[in-house]
Amino acid sequence: HNSGGGTYDVNQLSLVLRRDAVAPAQTITVTLRDSWSGTILGSASVASSSLGTSYGWVDFNFGDVALNDNQTYFIRFTSSTADGKIYIGTATDGYANGTRIDKDGNPSYGEDLAFKVGNVATVGVTVTPTSGLVTTDAGEILLVRAGQIGRHAW
């Protein structure tokens, strides 16, 4: 993203999530990072019981984080259990120059995470899910998304 000011603040990540009706209780955590295994810039959690059994947007709010224009960032999604049964919305090539990354840090080319990034005082950037599911997997759930907003690195 290029804010035109060199940096911009975010304080919310939103993902399209749902839980299986028999999903065990667990804590879902989303982190914003400067690289796959890098520094955690922002983090927030929700209880799996707060998720519906149909897909819907779930907001993860954290304190303001200053991000640099045209820099790549990563969103990681984890669970407190290995039992899983939490699902995340994806899109097929819905986000230019972005790639979903699996739990091991490997790219899943042609697939993007459905997400919004924003500041609660401003409008976020949205990628609408059109197809696909990513299921949870022992601890770190298949998920991440780094990419580009428009033609600017995000």
Side-chain angles (χ1 to χ4, degrees), residues 52-64:
T53 55
S54 296
Y55 282 106
W57 286 104
V58 178
D59 296 331
F60 294 84
N61 298 305
F62 46 88
D64 283 353

Side-chain angles (χ1 to χ4, degrees), residues 119-135:
N119 187 299
V120 292
T122 62
V123 177
V125 176
T126 305
V127 176
T128 304
T130 57
S131 65
L133 292 179
V134 180
T135 59

Side-chain angles (χ1 to χ4, degrees), residues 1 10 16 19 21 33 44 48 67 69 73 76 78 82 85 88 93-94 101 111 121 123 126 147:
H1 174 71
V10 300
V16 175
R19 66 176 171 81
R33 297 170 182 249
S48 61
L67 301 180
D69 284 349
Y73 294 96
R76 288 184 72 169
T78 59
K85 299 194 186 242
I88 190 165
D93 278 339
I101 312 245
E111 189 173 291
V123 177
T126 305

Side-chain angles (χ1 to χ4, degrees), residues 36-132:
W36 172 248
S37 296
T39 302
I40 295 174
L41 305 172
S43 178
S45 299
V46 299
S48 61
S49 59
S50 69
L51 304 179
T53 55
S54 296
Y55 282 106
W57 286 104
V58 178
D59 296 331
F60 294 84
N61 298 305
F62 46 88
D64 283 353
V65 175
L67 301 180
N68 296 316
D69 284 349
N70 304 312
Q71 182 172 333
T72 298
Y73 294 96
F74 292 77
I75 299 169
R76 288 184 72 169
F77 173 78
T78 59
S79 171
S80 61
T81 73
D83 296 330
K85 299 194 186 242
I86 304 297
Y87 304 91
I88 190 165
T90 62
T92 303
D93 278 339
Y95 192 65
N97 299 319
T99 301
R100 184 184 66 80
I101 312 245
D102 71 16
K103 68 180 182 65
D104 298 316
N106 299 312
S108 294
Y109 296 108
E111 189 173 291
D112 296 326
L113 181 68
F115 72 98
K116 297 179 192 179
V117 177
N119 187 299
V120 292
T122 62
V123 177
V125 176
T126 305
V127 176
T128 304
T130 57
S131 65

Side-chain angles (χ1 to χ4, degrees), residues 3 30 34 64 90 104 136 139 142 153:
S3 68
V30 170
D34 60 3
D64 283 353
T90 62
D104 298 316
T136 63
L142 304 178

